[in-house]
């Protein structure tokens, strides 16, 4: 298992992944206090000053938890490394100043950002949807690669984890994180069986009390099944998974062409407010829970699944192949 030192003491090997308009300090703190890695996108704070304030608040609340005898997990932030993100330089400076333990980069895997995070001993993971991007991330020197596979919430990939994880593992010796359609502790155990070091869960954390999305979105997640998830570029130009019910409510006609041509952060921000993203793991989400309770549930399910496998293994009579 290839985990940076700061991540060897987690309750289970799982990250509550960063979600635009959804994850903020309350969710991050509750997840970290529960022993899982909590994260948020820097852009969820409306300005770089607000981002600095969030970092300060999270540090203070986690330090208070540590003083009270808890062992909170490290937290992380997501930075969009793309020319259309005007805040990138300022947000990197603040990330370095606050020594954020885990930085997750999206889009650009850039050596300078890797060096900036390593300068204070932080870990940097990069998310990818294919092998070309995985190789670029490895070349940039990241500590971890997040394989965003088919069925994930947000800008999902199209590859099966059974295909992508072993291919990444064949050349990358750092941490491998699996993302896509995992909503239970059993899923996290399955990710480990597949060869991933950690699991990356987004959609399941949408249905938590601390998540910042509207209650109607949480209820839509709880009521949805995998059939309700539509993978389309027609919301913002970049393919992503959305709840069919929210596409209909926003009057988006999937038969009409939408503008082509890559990422435009302004139109993304506008689109995602009215059309709600979620992954195919919605079918395993049956209630809105406080994040700490959800984490306790995930931890119990994870250990139960691992025990089940161990017991089956112990009970199996050894198979002797015919000579
Ligand atoms: C509502 C929503 C917003 C998201 N926003 C971001 C984001 O801002 N940055 C990012 O790196 N990933 C984002 N993602 C993707 C998640 O970090 C993660 O890869 C994905 O949710 C995992 O799949 P799952 O939702 O099936 O668990 C988002 C996902 C959702 C559902």
């Amino acid at each position: 298992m290839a985990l940076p030192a700061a991540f060897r003491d987690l309750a289970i090997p799982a990250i509550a992944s960063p979600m635009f308009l959804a994850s903020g300090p309350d969710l991050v703190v509750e997840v970290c206090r529960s022993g899982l890695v909590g994260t948020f996108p820097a852009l969820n704070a409306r300005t770089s000053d607000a981002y600095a304030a969030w970092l300060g608040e999270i540090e203070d609340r986690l330090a208070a938890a540590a003083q009270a005898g808890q062992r909170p997990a490290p937290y992380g932030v997501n930075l969009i490394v793309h020319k259309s993100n005007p805040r990138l330089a300022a947000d990197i400076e603040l990330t370095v100043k606050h020594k954020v333990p885990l930085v997750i980069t999206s889009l650009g895997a850039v050596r300078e950002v890797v060096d900036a995070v390593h300068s204070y001993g932080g870990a940097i993971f990069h998310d990818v949807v294919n092998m070309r991007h995985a190789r670029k991330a490895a070349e940039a020197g990241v500590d971890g690669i997040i394989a965003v596979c088919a069925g994930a919430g947000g800008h999902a990939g199209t590859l099966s984890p059974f295909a992508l994880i072993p291919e990444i593992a064949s050349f990358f010796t750092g941490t491998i994180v699996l993302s896509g359609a995992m909503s239970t502790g059993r899923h996290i155990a399955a990710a480990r069986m597949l060869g991933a070091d950690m699991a990356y869960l987004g959609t399941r954390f949408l249905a938590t009390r601390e998540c910042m999305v509207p209650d109607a979105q949480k209820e839509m997640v709880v009521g949805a099944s995998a059939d309700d998830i539509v993978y389309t570029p027609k919301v913002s130009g970049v393919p992503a998974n959305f709840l069919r019910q929210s596409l209909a409510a926003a009057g988006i006609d999937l038969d009409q062409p939408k503008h082509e041509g890559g990422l435009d952060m302004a139109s993304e921000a506008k689109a995602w407010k009215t059309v709600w993203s979620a992954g195919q793991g919605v079918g395993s989400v049956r209630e809105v829970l406080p994040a700490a309770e959800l984490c306790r549930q995930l931890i119990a399910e994870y250990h139960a699944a691992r025990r089940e496998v161990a017991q089956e293994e112990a009970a199996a009579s050894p198979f002797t192949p015919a000579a």
Side-chain angles (χ1 to χ4, degrees):
M1 196 173 180
L3 283 183
F7 297 89
R8 291 192 192 132
D9 220 9
L10 303 175
I12 51 173
I15 298 172
S17 67
M19 292 185 289
F20 188 49
L21 306 176
S23 10
D26 288 343
L27 183 57
V28 169
V29 168
E30 283 307 294
V31 169
C32 291
R33 275 162 30 107
S34 304
L36 283 66
V37 180
T39 67
F40 71 97
L43 292 175
N44 276 0
R46 289 232 305 245
T47 60
S48 290
D49 284 347
Y51 174 51
W54 279 19
L55 294 176
E57 180 190 337
I58 290 168
E59 282 161 8
D60 289 349
R61 290 170 66 181
L62 293 181
Q67 266 198 335
Q70 299 170 5
R71 294 216 322 254
Y75 74 99
V77 302
N78 172 227
L79 299 174
I80 308 292
V81 182
H82 191 264
K83 58 183 182 319
S84 67
N85 177 6
R87 277 176 41 186
L88 183 61
D91 288 355
I92 290 176
E93 204 179 310
L94 289 165
T95 303
V96 172
K97 184 174 162 209
H98 285 264
K99 300 187 166 64
V100 175
L102 173 65
V103 174
I104 297 163
T105 51
S106 298
L107 299 177
V110 178
R111 173 68 69 175
E112 292 76 54
V113 183
V114 172
D115 290 345
V117 175
H118 285 167
S119 72
Y120 62 86
I124 178 163
F125 293 179
H126 186 71
D127 62 15
V128 307
V129 293
N130 58 38
M131 282 299 286
R132 190 168 65 84
H133 292 158
R135 288 195 192 282
K136 275 193 174 172
E139 277 161 25
V142 299
D143 305 295
I145 292 180
I146 301 163
V148 184
C149 292
H155 296 145
T158 55
L159 294 176
S160 159
F162 288 95
L164 192 52
I165 294 292
E167 284 204 34
I168 294 175
S170 71
F171 81 96
F172 184 66
T173 53
T175 306
I176 299 177
V177 185
L178 174 56
S179 162
M182 291 173 291
S183 297
T184 67
R186 181 178 284 271
H187 288 146
I188 300 166
R192 294 278 296 116
M193 291 283 280
L194 193 51
D197 298 296
M198 302 184 82
Y200 202 61
L201 282 72
T203 294
R204 183 59 192 90
F205 282 90
L206 284 174
T208 56
R209 202 174 58 194
E210 292 81 357
C211 177
M212 302 190 300
V213 302
D215 286 347
Q217 184 171 355
K218 298 179 188 180
E219 292 307 328
M220 198 179 278
V221 167
V222 167
S225 67
D227 282 350
D228 295 314
I229 303 302
V230 181
Y231 186 66
T232 178
K234 290 199 172 146
V235 174
S236 69
V238 183
N241 274 318
F242 294 98
L243 287 153
R244 181 187 305 281
Q245 296 86 333
S246 79
L247 288 163
I252 296 205
D253 182 352
L254 293 173
D255 296 327
Q256 288 300 313
K258 174 79 186 173
H259 69 83
E260 299 292 328
L263 186 75
D264 161 12
M265 303 272 282
S267 74
E268 284 270 319
K270 218 167 124 198
W272 286 49
K273 267 205 183 95
T274 46
V275 187
W276 296 334
S277 177
Q280 291 173 1
V282 282
S284 302
V285 185
R286 285 293 158 251
E287 56 184 335
V288 178
L289 290 173
E293 199 176 324
L294 169 60
C295 290
R296 276 195 294 276
Q297 193 173 301
L298 293 172
I299 294 166
E301 289 168 352
Y302 174 81
H303 290 300
R306 306 256 299 180
R307 267 196 311 274
E308 201 178 295
V309 173
Q311 280 162 4
E312 276 176 19
E313 194 62 21
S317 46
F319 174 74
T320 321

